[in-house]
Each structure stands twice: as C-alpha cells, then as structure tokens.
Amino acid sequence: MLPLRASSGASPSFIALVAAKDAPEPVVLSAAERAYYTAAFEQQIVATYTQARLLPAGLPLETFRKAVIGFYSLQQRGAIAASCHTVTIIDFGRSSTQERFWVVDMAQNRLVHRSLVAHGKNTGADYARTFSNREGSEMSSLGFYVTGETYQGKHGLSLKLRGVDAGYNTNALSRAVVVHGAEYVSQDFVRQHGRLGRSQGCPALPVTQAPAIIRTIKGGTVLFANAPGSVLYHSELLKLDQALLAFAQLKHLAVSAG
C-alpha cells in the first residue's frame, strides 16, 4: 500500500462523483412490481453469468449476484452514473493462489479481466480471514467501493478507491487503500512461498496486468470485496428492492395497471 496521507485523498470532483445519500429514501415497491422486476433481474444475472462464462472463470454465482445487487443499489443512491456498466469483484473466500479478481462488463455480458489479487498482511496467510476498516490495521476491508482517479506512485500507475459501505471500508481513502501492481503478486511468488505476498490492505495485482485493469475500472465504477463464508457481512447495499428499482428504471420496465 502506498504511504499516502489523508490530505492527499480524492479531489472534490471525485468526492462529488461518488457521494451517496447517507440516509436514502426507503424504496417501496408494490407486490406486482417486486415480482415482475425480480424475475427480470434474476434472468439478467443468469444471462450475464452464463454469457460471460463466469463459472469456468471461478466466480461463484451467489458472489456475482451480491455484486450486481450492490451495483444497482449504488446507482439508485446516485453514487455511480447510470451509464456505468463495469463491476469488479474480489472473492476473499478463495485461496490467494487462485485467481479471485474479475472485471465484468454488464452491458456486453463479457468478462474483461481476471487476475490474482493480494490481501493485507494482517488479514491472513494464504486465506483471508480477518478484516478491518481501522487505520493502521494493515488488513483488507470488505464491501463496496467506487473507483476514483489514477496517479503515479512508487508502484507505478495506481487507482484510488472510496469505500462506500458503512461500517466496512469508509476509511479507504485516509488509509490509502488503492489498486496497484506488486512484484509479490505472481505465480512465481506462489511457487516459491505457497501463497501470494501480502499488502498493507491494498488489493494489489500482478505488475503485468495492473495498468490495463486500472485503466478499465478507473473513474466511477464499482468494486466489491466479498467476505469468506466464515465472516459476517451485512450491508445496506444488499437490500434487493433498491437494486430492483434502479434496474427497472435502466431497463425501462413497467408494470401495467391492468
């Protein structure tokens, strides 16, 4: 993780881009709307999952579904633009020796990138087990982020992240949790040590893949870090009705009065 200070955080434009309502209005759907929107929503998830070949890529369907619910919830809250179609998923339930980082284009139902990714050194050895939002913890943080601007740091091209999941990752900017490349994220390192190297909390990527991935996901896309099954994670962003409303608006769905 890069040694940035809180004062070198996101620009005002970045903050404005991702600022969600702290207490959004509750979404109220009729029974007919909920049934209709849910059917279309679940069909879309399965279609994207199948066409993007996410099962052979190692991404569990339920993990992908959670990421999509959060993605649309963030659209509903105004934290990302309606034109955003990129979601990045990290599954911390998988070994660090496995690819557990995926970038999906939901407009084209396409897997754009897949990669190894490191977790924080106090989060675990091979498997990620302990997470924190606390300054100085050197742990990874769970939940939903919105990507910001890039910069050149000691690890080369790097990408700022804003944590937007209350109680889980909202100190990401002040902790300088960023996406960057690192030499310790490689199959060579795995062969020598039996696991990836670890960061100070950043989702570090292979040096050879990091620049292309960063350019794909920069500037207001969603990143979701999924918890392993042994760790409790309950987010307001996983409430289905708010996601259904954003999805219905995007797809121009309507329930007939008759």
Side-chain angles (χ1 to χ4, degrees):
M1 183 169 70
L2 299 181
L4 302 178
R5 308 306 304 168
S7 60
S8 62
S11 66
S13 61
F14 174 37
I15 294 173
L17 172 68
V18 300
K21 298 176 183 177
D22 291 332
E25 292 294 323
V27 173
V28 180
L29 300 176
S30 69
E33 287 173 329
R34 185 175 295 108
Y36 181 50
Y37 297 164
T38 298
F41 183 76
E42 299 295 348
Q43 287 175 1
Q44 183 63 58
I45 288 174
V46 172
T48 301
Y49 187 78
T50 302
Q51 292 175 33
R53 295 183 57 78
L54 299 180
L55 178 60
L59 175 57
L61 175 59
E62 183 55 32
T63 302
F64 178 62
R65 182 177 181 273
K66 286 192 286 187
V68 175
I69 291 172
F71 173 90
Y72 282 111
S73 293
L74 288 168
Q75 281 196 347
Q76 176 61 24
R77 294 183 178 203
I80 59 172
S83 59
C84 177
H85 53 80
T86 302
V87 60
T88 300
I89 302 156
I90 301 171
D91 190 353
F92 280 129
R94 289 167 67 86
S95 161
S96 72
T97 65
Q98 298 175 293
E99 290 181 324
R100 53 181 182 170
F101 181 103
W102 304 267
V103 180
V104 180
D105 183 328
M106 296 201 300
Q108 299 185 19
N109 292 349
R110 183 169 66 95
L111 177 61
V112 184
H113 299 285
R114 56 191 285 195
S115 174
L116 297 168
V117 63
H119 55 249
K121 66 181 183 180
N122 288 333
T123 283
D126 179 20
Y127 282 88
R129 303 189 185 280
T130 309
F131 302 86
S132 178
N133 190 34
R134 182 173 51 83
E135 297 273 357
S137 67
E138 297 191 329
M139 295 182 192
S140 297
S141 299
L142 297 171
F144 289 92
Y145 301 78
V146 175
T147 64
E149 59 202 26
T150 62
Y151 65 96
Q152 289 290 333
K154 72 174 185 179
H155 292 289
L157 185 67
S158 303
L159 175 65
K160 294 179 181 179
L161 298 174
R162 180 174 178 85
V164 292
D165 212 335
Y168 292 98
N169 60 20
T170 48
N171 291 329
L173 279 175
S174 61
R175 292 180 60 205
V177 173
V178 301
V179 180
H180 64 76
E183 296 289 348
Y184 53 76
V185 186
S186 69
Q187 290 295 353
D188 284 343
F189 193 98
V190 170
R191 282 189 286 271
Q192 293 177 35
H193 302 278
R195 59 165 174 79
L196 283 190
R198 294 163 297 169
S199 68
Q200 291 177 282
C202 294
L205 302 173
V207 170
T208 56
Q209 294 179 259
I213 291 173
I214 287 171
R215 292 187 183 101
T216 298
I217 69 175
K218 69 179 181 179
T221 72
V222 174
L223 185 149
F224 172 57
N226 185 54
S230 59
V231 175
L232 292 178
Y233 168 73
H234 299 290
S235 172
E236 290 292 310
L237 292 167
L238 293 179
K239 290 187 174 179
L240 184 58
D241 278 10
Q242 60 189 344
L244 292 177
L245 182 57
F247 174 78
Q249 291 170 341
L250 183 69
K251 300 297 184 181
H252 307 291
L253 303 179
V255 177
S256 63

